[in-house]
Amino acid sequence: MAISCKDKTETTHLYSEFENGRKYIYDYVPVISISGSWKQMGRQYGHFLSGNILEVYNTVAPYKDRYNLGSGRNNAELIEELYQSYSSTYKDFFEGMSETSGLTLDQLKTANSLEIVLMLGTGIYPTRCSSIAAWNDYTTTGKVLFGRNYDYNSEFISLNKDIVVTVFHPDNGEIPFAICTWAGCIYASTGINQKGIFAEENDCSPHDKQAAGFYVTGDHLNLKVWVKDDARLLSMLGSCRTLDEADTWMKNNLPCYPHGIGIADKNEGRVYQWDIPDRVPHAPFARQEKGLMVQTNHYFTVPEGWNLAPYEEADSSGSAIPGGSIPRLQHLLQLARHDKGSINLARMCEIMDMKYENGGATVDGTLYQIVCEPGTLTFKLKTKAKQDRWVNIPLSELLKGF
């Protein structure tokens, strides 16, 4: 039985304050609003989330000195490579965290590398993600509604209470923006800014294996440090006021790894086929039709000139994704077309709640889910350990300031 999008628990309160930041608890979800310079925001982040970051670090730490079967390198090398990919601005943020969190800089680097280390680094292959944007004739208002499932390894389930929404108010002129990640993970796998630009990342490595390093050499694959790309998306959220500006940013800032990046404003949704510089044209966007975009873990429209075959669910490398990239995409398309004209917030929550085996896209590895209406900054979150309710995160207020 689907769970209603109506919030089941209304417990919300200011939890604590530190310097120029605030921590809230909305139902069970920690939400922090931080402001100032990047170092000052890092100090606030570290203070508010020290215990949560420690939990994330303790999850990664047993693997940090091991060999990574995904890349053929030691995890310690991958951890440092990710950190070195950050600009000095974000390194200031890490320095601030180290001053107040009780963790060393090296421990913070390790926590930040959660997904890189646990993706094949533990020998367990993860499931992936699904998303849908509906608007125009598909929704009751004509405005965009976006649903997003974040899927990963079973090891992450113990970190349910460490999923945090962070609202950044930089004092350097950047647009305030929010991200949803595990504590200590400083990147924009899912986020939205004050102007209503929403973004979420899906891994497309099973399709473009060569670009991703998704091919076997000896005892390992050759995967790249793909979270570097999610970290770069912080800049997009902090700088783009319109969908046109986001389009330009995506084409001028190319990744090291193949992704599908769902981007929307209040009026339309797109999936940017964000791939390495060798894939020309750069970052074209696609959608199935006007008013509907669904993506999973492959490029459903292969751009002309990419020299990339249409995706097949499995091939000789055994690359099929648990839960099926093609069936998940088809399920979401079918659900949206069935409900064309009647999709509202409640129905979008129900669509995202639908299990894979029942014709939906939610799988055992779905760790958290988001339903967002970019035009109103409505942002609803549900985690695997709390399946009885969606929690409303009032970003329309939090992105305005204090």
Side-chain angles (χ1 to χ4, degrees), residues 270-298:
R270 303 171 175 179
V271 57
Y272 279 86
Q273 302 187 130
W274 205 39
D275 209 337
I276 63 174
D278 290 348
R279 300 296 183 219
V280 180
H282 292 150
F285 71 82
R287 55 193 174 215
Q288 282 81 4
E289 57 191 81
K290 184 178 181 181
L292 183 62
M293 183 284 293
V294 173
Q295 70 156 328
T296 49
N297 303 113
H298 65 281

Side-chain angles (χ1 to χ4, degrees), residues 181-203:
T181 61
W182 287 273
C185 298
I186 312 303
Y187 43 83
S189 48
T190 309
I192 187 169
N193 71 18
Q194 187 188 66
K195 303 301 180 181
I197 301 298
F198 176 85
E200 54 87 28
E201 182 269 345
N202 285 25
D203 182 355

Side-chain angles (χ1 to χ4, degrees), residues 101-394:
S101 66
L103 282 77
T104 67
L105 179 58
D106 283 342
Q107 289 174 318
L108 293 167
K109 293 178 187 178
T110 299
N112 188 55
S113 302
L114 173 71
E115 296 188 60
I116 292 172
V117 171
L118 267 67
M119 182 178 180
L120 297 180
T122 61
I124 299 174
Y125 191 73
T127 53
R128 303 291 177 83
C129 306
S130 306
S131 61
I132 175 173
W135 67 101
N136 202 37
D137 294 338
Y138 279 85
T139 62
T140 56
T141 65
K143 301 302 183 182
V144 170
L145 291 171
F146 211 115
R148 191 269 203 284
N149 283 352
Y150 202 88
D151 306 344
Y152 225 90
N153 296 27
S154 59
E155 290 96 332
F156 286 61
I157 295 173
S158 65
L159 300 176
N160 192 85
K161 65 181 180 300
D162 305 307
I163 296 170
V164 59
V165 175
T166 305
V167 183
F168 298 86
H169 294 271
D171 67 0
N172 62 356
E174 291 182 76
I175 302 165
F177 63 91
I179 61 172
C180 180
T181 61
W182 287 273
C185 298
I186 312 303
Y187 43 83
S189 48
T190 309
I192 187 169
N193 71 18
Q194 187 188 66
K195 303 301 180 181
I197 301 298
F198 176 85
E200 54 87 28
E201 182 269 345
N202 285 25
D203 182 355
C204 287
S205 62
H207 194 163
D208 196 343
K209 298 179 184 67
Q210 190 67 33
F214 206 115
Y215 52 89
V216 177
T217 300
D219 67 343
H220 65 273
L221 300 180
N222 298 269
L223 291 173
K224 299 172 185 176
V225 183
W226 57 272
V227 178
K228 291 193 292 187
D229 297 332
D230 288 13
R232 296 182 73 192
L233 288 171
L234 295 167
S235 170
M236 192 275 288
L237 290 174
S239 63
C240 295
R241 289 169 166 76
T242 66
L243 205 54
D244 285 344
E245 290 182 2
D247 183 90
T248 299
W249 191 97
M250 295 299 295
K251 289 174 169 55
N252 291 337
N253 294 272
L254 300 178
C256 66
Y257 194 87
H259 310 266
I261 307 296
I263 297 182
D265 64 3
K266 65 181 180 181
N267 294 318
E268 64 173 296
R270 303 171 175 179
V271 57
Y272 279 86
Q273 302 187 130
W274 205 39
D275 209 337
I276 63 174
D278 290 348
R279 300 296 183 219
V280 180
H282 292 150
F285 71 82
R287 55 193 174 215
Q288 282 81 4
E289 57 191 81
K290 184 178 181 181
L292 183 62
M293 183 284 293
V294 173
Q295 70 156 328
T296 49
N297 303 113
H298 65 281
Y299 298 116
F300 57 83
T301 301
V302 178
E304 185 177 354
W306 275 27
N307 191 30
L308 191 64
Y311 180 69
E312 296 182 4
E313 197 61 50
D315 59 22
S316 59
S317 70
S319 66
I321 298 298
S325 186
I326 292 174
R328 281 182 286 120
L329 182 140
Q330 292 174 338
H331 287 176
L332 288 174
L333 286 174
Q334 290 165 1
L335 288 168
R337 287 167 176 160
H338 179 270
D339 294 327
K340 187 174 183 178
S342 62
I343 300 175
N344 55 18
L345 275 169
R347 183 55 188 154
M348 183 60 82
C349 291
E350 291 172 351
I351 288 171
M352 301 316 295
D353 281 335
M354 191 78 70
K355 299 293 186 183
Y356 174 76
E357 58 269 25
N358 296 327
T362 296
V363 295
D364 287 344
T366 300
L367 299 175
Y368 66 83
Q369 300 165 277
I370 288 167
V371 167
C372 180
E373 186 175 35
T376 60
L377 301 179
T378 299
F379 194 91
K380 293 182 176 292
L381 172 68
K382 185 166 73 169
T383 64
K384 187 173 180 66
K386 301 284 187 178
Q387 286 293 292
D388 63 325
R389 60 195 182 271
W390 289 81
V391 178
N392 183 57
I393 311 298

